[in-house]
Amino acid sequence: MVPSALPTVDLLIVNGTLLTLEPKAKPILDGAVAIRGEHIVAVGSRENLQVHAAKTLDAGGGLILPGLVNTHTHLAMVLLRGLADDLPLKEWLEQHIWPAEKALMDAETVRLGTLWAAVESLKAGVTCVCDMYFHAPTVAEALEEIGIRGVVPESIIDFPTPSCPSPEVALEKQRELCQKYRHNPLITPAVAAHAPYSVNAKNIAKAAELAEEYDVPFLIHVAETRWELETFQKEKGTTPVQYLADLGVLSSRTVAAHCVHVTQEDIATLAELGVGVAANPVSNLKLASGVAPLPQMLAQGVKVGFGTDGAASNNTLDLLRDAQIAALLYKGVTGDPTCMPAPTVAALLTRGGAEVLGLGATVGTLSPGKRADVVCFATQDPHAVPVYDPESHLIYAARSADVQHVVVNGKVVVEDRKVLTVDEGALRKEVLRLAPKVRGAVETAKSQP
Ligand SMILES: [Zn+2]
């Protein structure tokens, strides 16, 4: 065959072991992914994939897999990383996080935090982030600018937020966001109600109705702490999950973050209604909230993905590390070394996360027709040699610092560990310039009665 007769593609990723993460798929040695425009057009062994490519990306003999999906985070909170640690949740929130947010989180600061979080995410192999914060139009613009896939809501809560004086204004802004971004290839608009204890039933219902109207994800924190479960049992005679189910707001478009303190009946309800659970194992450990019953959820068919939560309670957006900790945590908790095996954890990091966010048909596996969100992990350093089983390698040996190249929506956004779409050094300077102001705001708030 002469070269001119070959099909033409825009990007070809070669020289790596391919994990498509399609159910039951085997690794493909010396695999390749062909991308045209925003989509994957072919996946297979290099020798069977003869194309003419405008650009070729060399995976250097490492792993090629779908981008990781962070199903729950608060991106701009990277600016509060390490500001207050080792504290009870209430004191941490009320004396440190909320004062800092109130004093600082204007649109421009949220933009800086979101960009910095996106840089951290991309360099950790995360190609899709589900945010839950304020100033949604700014967040959406920042994510589009840097070229990472995002699920972006404006958050409703029953008191004024840094971006909205009232829940009514937040709902109006959510509607505008849904209209503007409903057909965007990178940004999925969403509607978020903070939690069943911080948003009243009427507002939760309005938010869920809006999500239904536009068929977008409905995000909510659910049953994060024992306090929340006990308060609902005492005051309403039911659990947070049953309360939301009775309100009629849970559906297959719901992304329920945490679900740590859920009963057997709650798990059955989550499965029956098709609710997606965004599990945040490391945030839950750090705030001593508990351990979500993921093995039971998976056994009963609940959709599950991983999230980092905000960097103020983690303290990084290193989703791979969090999944690796989860893989070990559940073995320790159950006493069963077969619990949460590597292939399961790898699937939750990618396909599972995409399904939780309602993006299962769009991303989450390396499959022809899906959008091209691809990550290449290097396997050159001592901790990464040799590799017998790529899924075991990913979950028990790989580090996010091994991420070499990242493609989102067909575009190369990280090449040889360099983010191509922003000036990382300039952003770092801006973040460092802001840090003393963050500390000052907290000190001022603490000195006030
Ligand atoms: Zn959260």
Side-chain angles (χ1 to χ4, degrees):
M1 203 187 285
V2 293
S4 60
L6 293 175
T8 306
V9 297
D10 298 312
L11 180 64
L12 184 68
I13 308 174
V14 298
N15 192 20
T17 299
L18 209 69
L19 284 175
T20 68
L21 268 302
E22 283 182 348
K24 298 193 171 68
K26 295 249 183 310
I28 301 169
L29 298 174
D30 196 14
V33 182
I35 295 161
R36 193 178 294 130
E38 300 174 344
H39 294 92
I40 296 170
V41 290
V43 171
S45 72
R46 176 74 179 99
E47 65 173 342
N48 291 338
L49 220 158
Q50 296 296 323
V51 293
H52 177 75
K55 179 177 170 70
T56 300
L57 208 53
D58 189 330
L63 301 186
I64 305 170
L65 62 141
L68 313 185
V69 179
N70 188 347
T71 60
H72 181 70
T73 185
H74 311 277
L75 291 168
M77 288 182 88
V78 292
L79 299 174
L80 310 180
R81 183 194 332 264
L83 183 66
D85 298 311
D86 309 329
L87 292 169
L89 177 68
K90 199 168 181 298
E91 185 184 339
W92 173 77
L93 262 179
E94 291 177 0
Q95 292 182 25
H96 299 270
I97 301 304
W98 284 346
E101 286 184 329
K102 197 170 160 211
L104 289 154
M105 289 299 181
D106 57 13
E108 198 43 44
T109 308
V110 167
R111 182 187 134 76
L112 173 63
T114 303
L115 285 172
W116 194 235
V119 169
E120 181 183 352
S121 299
L122 287 170
K123 291 183 89 169
V126 172
T127 54
C128 179
V129 289
C130 180
D131 189 40
M132 197 169 178
Y133 214 53
F134 314 111
H135 298 292
T138 305
V139 173
E141 276 170 27
L143 297 183
E144 261 193 303
E145 181 185 328
I146 201 164
I148 191 170
R149 192 173 302 285
V151 175
V152 181
E154 184 73 46
S155 296
I156 290 184
I157 193 162
D158 280 352
F159 52 79
T161 71
S163 55
C164 296
S166 68
E168 289 71 31
V169 173
L171 270 170
E172 204 38 55
K173 286 195 175 181
Q174 295 198 328
R175 179 175 292 281
E176 285 168 21
L177 191 79
C178 289
Q179 272 165 351
K180 183 170 177 192
Y181 284 98
R182 60 201 299 198
H183 302 302
N184 190 289
L186 214 52
I187 304 299
T188 301
V191 178
H194 179 264
Y197 60 85
S198 57
V199 186
N200 67 46
K202 206 171 83 199
N203 285 335
I204 292 178
K206 279 187 191 165
E209 274 166 29
L210 188 64
E212 190 177 346
E213 185 184 333
Y214 285 91
D215 194 19
V216 297
F218 170 60
L219 321 180
I220 186 162
H221 293 103
V222 184
E224 178 174 359
T225 60
R226 180 164 299 283
W227 168 84
E228 182 179 339
L229 174 67
E230 288 174 355
T231 302
F232 271 75
Q233 285 172 328
K234 201 164 88 193
E235 292 179 3
K236 301 187 194 293
T238 188
T239 67
V241 170
Q242 297 307 325
Y243 166 78
L244 293 172
D246 291 345
L247 282 182
V249 299
L250 297 184
S251 74
S252 58
R253 75 176 63 75
T254 309
V255 181
H258 302 297
C259 296
V260 174
H261 296 279
V262 290
T263 62
Q264 279 303 319
E265 189 193 359
D266 290 342
I267 295 174
T269 301
L270 295 171
E272 190 187 327
L273 297 175
V275 172
V277 170
N280 301 267
V282 170
S283 171
N284 296 155
L285 284 171
K286 184 156 184 277
L287 290 169
S289 300
V291 177
L294 292 194
Q296 291 92 318
M297 289 185 197
L298 292 170
Q300 293 197 43
V302 177
K303 290 183 294 186
V304 175
F306 288 118
T308 56
D309 212 350
S313 62
N314 185 307
N315 291 0
T316 77
L317 304 183
D318 189 342
L319 191 71
L320 176 67
R321 182 204 63 163
D322 291 12
Q324 291 175 331
I325 289 173
L328 302 176
L329 170 68
Y330 287 99
K331 291 169 176 65
V333 167
T334 61
D336 176 4
T338 69
C339 182
M340 296 289 264
T344 301
V345 178
L348 297 189
L349 266 172
T350 51
R351 188 175 82 235
E355 284 168 0
V356 164
L357 299 181
L359 296 172
T362 311
V363 291
T365 61
L366 299 184
S367 316
K370 284 198 178 179
R371 291 186 179 271
D373 290 7
V374 191
V375 177
C376 300
F377 277 78
T379 52
Q380 299 294 324
D381 281 345
H383 71 272
V385 178
V387 177
Y388 294 111
D389 174 336
E391 282 169 325
S392 153
H393 174 79
L394 182 71
I395 302 307
Y396 298 119
R399 296 176 187 163
S400 56
D402 299 335
V403 169
Q404 196 75 13
H405 313 306
V406 180
V407 174
V408 182
N409 211 42
K411 190 174 166 194
V412 182
V413 284
V414 178
E415 188 166 1
D416 292 323
R417 288 205 60 70
K418 182 177 164 35
V419 180
L420 304 177
T421 44
V422 286
D423 181 342
E424 186 180 328
L427 272 182
R428 184 185 303 108
K429 274 188 198 149
E430 279 187 66
V431 172
L432 289 173
R433 205 176 301 139
L434 187 79
K437 284 192 207 163
V438 175
R439 191 173 287 286
V442 175
E443 293 306 322
T444 306
K446 274 203 290 195
S447 66
Q448 286 164 357

